[in-house]
Amino acid sequence: YAFRGSAARNCPKSLAPGAQGAQKSSKSGVMPHGVLFRGGAEREIRTRMLDEDLLDAVIGLGPNLFYGTGIPACLLVIRAKGAKPKERRGKVLFINADREYLEGRAQNYLQPEHVEKTVSSWRAFADVNGFARAVGREELRENDDNLNIRRYADNAPPAEPHDVRAHVQGGIPKAEVEAKAALFAAHGFDPKRLLRKHPTQPSGKYLDFVVAITEKAELGRRIEADTGVRAREKAVADAVEDWWKKHQKSLAALPETREVTKARAELLASFQKALLPVELLDRFQVAGVVATWWGEVQNDLRTSAARGFLGLVEAWETSILTALDDKRTKENPLDHRLVKRLLPEYLEELGELEAKRAELEATIKGDTASDDEEAGEVDEDAESALSQDELRAQKLELAGVKKALKAAVSAFTERLRQARKELGEAGARDLVLGILRAELDAILERYVVDHRQRVVAAFETWWDKYRTTLAEIEEERDAAAERLRGFLGALGYE
């Protein structure tokens, strides 16, 4: 249902003003936000849809998600007349997901976590503060059937509070710290480790940083090393470890069961049950972790179900060797997860050779450049140039390193094939499961680090806002003015 130009001309006949009947099946469409609040024929269409209880949900999306346009779009979820479940009748769910996206260079993207949050909210059809709200027909009628999403689900962050007394006299308002209590508690951090009662404001309503903290960078280091923070992050890791031990068998059995969809449902449900009690990540973030992980590994799991784990490793090997022969590819085949797991010693050897080559090339290039310089001032602090014998020895060593590096690269194909041949089905299964677990841990670590950075950001914001008082600013101003008067007097401008 793309309402462009004349809405009445482009909409389905059953939804046009005066039309009889309604669509027999459920539909959804992507549209610009204008169709939600413009008047004229479009308002009549909205009213008809609402009167016949066809509109199930309005979902606002972020900007620059669709090729060719940067404007934000919205989804209208429409059900056939009478098809709404009883608990949804006479209501429309508004979901404001315009901040749920990953920013890209040329285009933004919906990650599995964003899809999971939006879809789960739609399925639940329940209010989520600042994100989703179910609105009755009467309220919509009072608003002249204006479906502007922000009228009903406003996700705009609250304005940053500023305490005038704190700006003037110093200190951090205790009320601002208490407002962040849930964030700190989720990560196991006690604000008292960084804050103390303000020494000059006896009211008890203001705090100050502990004396030992003298620079902003110290805040992040202290939070990261905090025992409570580390304990909470370890609790997350332990919960994942327990979950993996119990449920990896559903993945290991895929070549026999081939029930990939059933395994997905089991893993998603059990992962949330295992992680939510730790209370570091909310239910949407936990769902996002496992949804993102599944989105990255599902093709590998389908291959395992069809060909076995050894068949998956062989498929990886083929793709690596194909990429190795493709000079146009921008990806380094040696960065493949199979190579990192199967040939760690080889990669270490290769890294040492490349580092040695870079070091020798830099030394020889620097010495050659000094020989080519025209006569001029001599830098007495510069290191002395290599002798001819030393330079010759360096070049010989570089030639040997390049030869060894070329031989190592040439041997890669054979070493990869040999390592793969040494794997049986059981070895391939353990290898693949280890890779899948490592990818899950990497995704979870991103979420945990992001949450920890939110804790750090709160304290850094208070440092920037309240660390320097008005009195200190005025003192610096007066000192600068006094220095300026001294300069002007010395120049005879008194």
Side-chain angles (χ1 to χ4, degrees):
Y1 295 169
F3 289 14
R4 298 184 182 90
S6 171
R9 181 177 67 247
N10 291 317
C11 75
K13 290 183 178 179
S14 60
L15 298 180
Q20 301 296 322
Q23 291 290 90
K24 298 298 182 183
S25 59
S26 299
K27 301 276 186 180
S28 64
V30 181
M31 288 169 283
H33 280 251
V35 302
L36 301 177
F37 51 79
R38 283 195 293 254
E42 286 171 302
R43 181 189 174 283
E44 295 179 41
I45 293 171
R46 292 196 303 271
T47 298
R48 183 64 179 273
M49 290 168 62
L50 294 170
D51 287 343
E52 297 191 9
D53 206 12
L54 306 179
L55 187 59
D56 185 71
V58 180
I59 303 172
L61 302 177
N64 205 23
L65 290 175
F66 299 96
Y67 181 77
T69 178
I71 64 171
C74 64
L75 292 175
L76 295 191
V77 181
I78 300 173
R79 293 180 183 264
K81 189 173 182 178
K84 277 189 179 184
K86 184 177 180 180
E87 64 275 10
R88 298 187 180 213
R89 291 175 187 171
K91 300 177 182 178
V92 176
L93 181 68
F94 289 84
I95 299 178
N96 196 342
D98 62 5
R99 298 173 66 188
E100 306 299 320
Y101 62 87
L102 175 68
E103 189 171 351
R105 293 182 61 186
Q107 191 172 356
N108 296 331
Y109 304 93
L110 287 178
Q111 296 288 82
E113 62 191 271
H114 307 131
V115 176
E116 183 69 24
K117 181 176 181 178
T118 303
V119 172
S120 62
S121 298
W122 173 70
R123 287 174 176 162
F125 208 81
D127 292 355
V128 178
N129 186 35
F131 185 72
R133 182 178 168 227
V135 181
R137 179 70 185 99
E138 189 60 35
E139 182 176 347
L140 296 174
R141 187 176 290 109
E142 290 173 359
N143 288 326
D144 201 26
D145 293 337
N146 186 320
L147 304 182
N148 192 332
I149 298 172
R150 285 193 179 274
R151 276 179 175 257
Y152 311 103
D154 190 358
N155 64 352
E160 181 67 34
H162 285 271
D163 188 293
V164 176
R165 182 185 293 275
H167 281 301
V168 174
Q169 299 180 2
I172 300 167
K174 194 174 182 179
E176 291 189 23
V177 178
E178 291 173 347
K180 298 282 187 179
L183 172 65
F184 301 149
H187 219 106
F189 184 70
D190 185 352
K192 292 180 181 178
R193 296 190 179 270
L194 295 182
L195 302 176
R196 60 183 177 124
K197 184 178 179 181
H198 198 281
T200 62
Q201 296 202 39
S203 65
K205 296 182 179 180
Y206 294 88
L207 305 171
D208 194 14
F209 289 101
V210 295
V211 178
I213 300 178
T214 58
E215 59 179 11
K216 182 179 175 181
E218 182 69 16
L219 297 171
R221 292 194 292 266
R222 287 195 172 217
I223 291 172
E224 185 174 353
D226 182 74
T227 54
V229 169
R230 292 198 170 190
R232 185 58 56 90
E233 292 181 5
K234 185 179 183 300
V236 171
D238 291 344
V240 174
E241 179 64 22
D242 291 342
W243 170 81
W244 184 258
K245 287 178 180 178
K246 294 177 182 177
H247 297 281
Q248 65 172 320
K249 60 181 180 293
S250 63
L251 298 178
L254 283 178
E256 290 77 35
T257 65
R258 299 191 176 186
E259 294 179 336
V260 178
T261 303
K262 182 178 178 180
R264 178 187 186 277
E266 176 193 336
L267 292 172
L268 265 63
S270 60
F271 188 81
Q272 294 185 61
K273 188 178 293 185
L275 267 290
L276 283 176
V278 182
E279 297 183 340
L280 193 153
L281 304 177
D282 64 32
R283 63 189 180 94
F284 296 121
Q285 292 170 320
V286 171
V289 170
V290 69
T292 301
W293 173 70
W294 186 268
E296 293 184 1
V297 305
Q298 62 177 328
N299 290 333
D300 295 328
L301 294 176
R302 295 185 189 282
T303 302
S304 299
R307 300 176 53 184
F309 290 105
L310 191 57
L312 173 60
V313 173
E314 290 172 350
W316 282 346
E317 177 192 0
T318 301
S319 66
I320 292 168
L321 297 180
T322 301
L324 198 64
D325 294 334
D326 186 359
K327 305 302 180 184
R328 296 172 299 177
T329 183
K330 295 182 180 180
E331 297 181 358
N332 185 357
L334 300 186
D335 291 335
H336 194 280
R337 50 197 170 168
L338 177 64
V339 179
K340 292 180 178 179
R341 282 276 177 159
L342 211 52
L343 300 173
E345 298 85 0
Y346 169 80
L347 292 178
E348 184 178 354
E349 174 190 340
L350 208 61
E352 291 175 354
L353 289 171
E354 289 177 340
K356 187 62 176 176
R357 181 187 64 179
E359 178 185 347
L360 290 169
E361 286 178 342
T363 302
I364 293 170
K365 182 179 179 181
D367 188 77
T368 304
S370 65
D371 289 342
D372 294 339
E373 287 180 353
E374 296 181 0
E377 285 191 24
V378 178
D379 186 356
E380 297 180 355
D381 295 329
E383 295 183 6
S384 59
L386 295 173
S387 68
Q388 290 298 319
D389 289 340
E390 290 173 330
L391 183 60
R392 190 179 300 110
Q394 293 273 354
K395 289 183 176 179
L396 286 173
E397 185 179 1
L398 176 60
V401 170
K402 287 183 174 180
K403 184 177 180 181
L405 188 58
K406 184 177 180 181
V409 172
S410 299
F412 169 72
T413 299
E414 183 57 34
R415 293 183 69 166
L416 179 62
R417 285 176 174 166
Q418 185 59 38
R420 189 265 303 162
K421 288 179 181 178
E422 294 174 1
L423 289 173
E425 179 63 24
R429 179 197 63 215
D430 293 341
L431 175 70
V432 170
L433 290 179
I435 289 174
L436 297 180
R437 171 63 192 278
E439 294 194 355
L440 174 62
D441 288 341
I443 294 170
L444 181 62
E445 177 67 13
R446 292 202 301 266
Y447 276 79
V448 171
V449 170
D450 178 69
H451 195 279
R452 189 199 311 141
Q453 285 304 117
R454 288 170 57 199
V455 175
V456 174
F459 287 92
E460 289 181 340
T461 298
W462 291 325
W463 181 281
D464 292 335
K465 282 201 302 184
Y466 301 124
R467 180 67 175 178
T468 304
T469 66
L470 177 61
E472 291 171 336
I473 295 174
E474 291 176 338
E475 185 178 341
E476 291 180 7
R477 179 202 62 191
D478 294 341
E482 185 63 31
R483 288 197 301 272
L484 178 59
R485 282 193 293 270
F487 294 147
L488 293 175
L491 294 172
Y493 289 106
E494 290 184 332

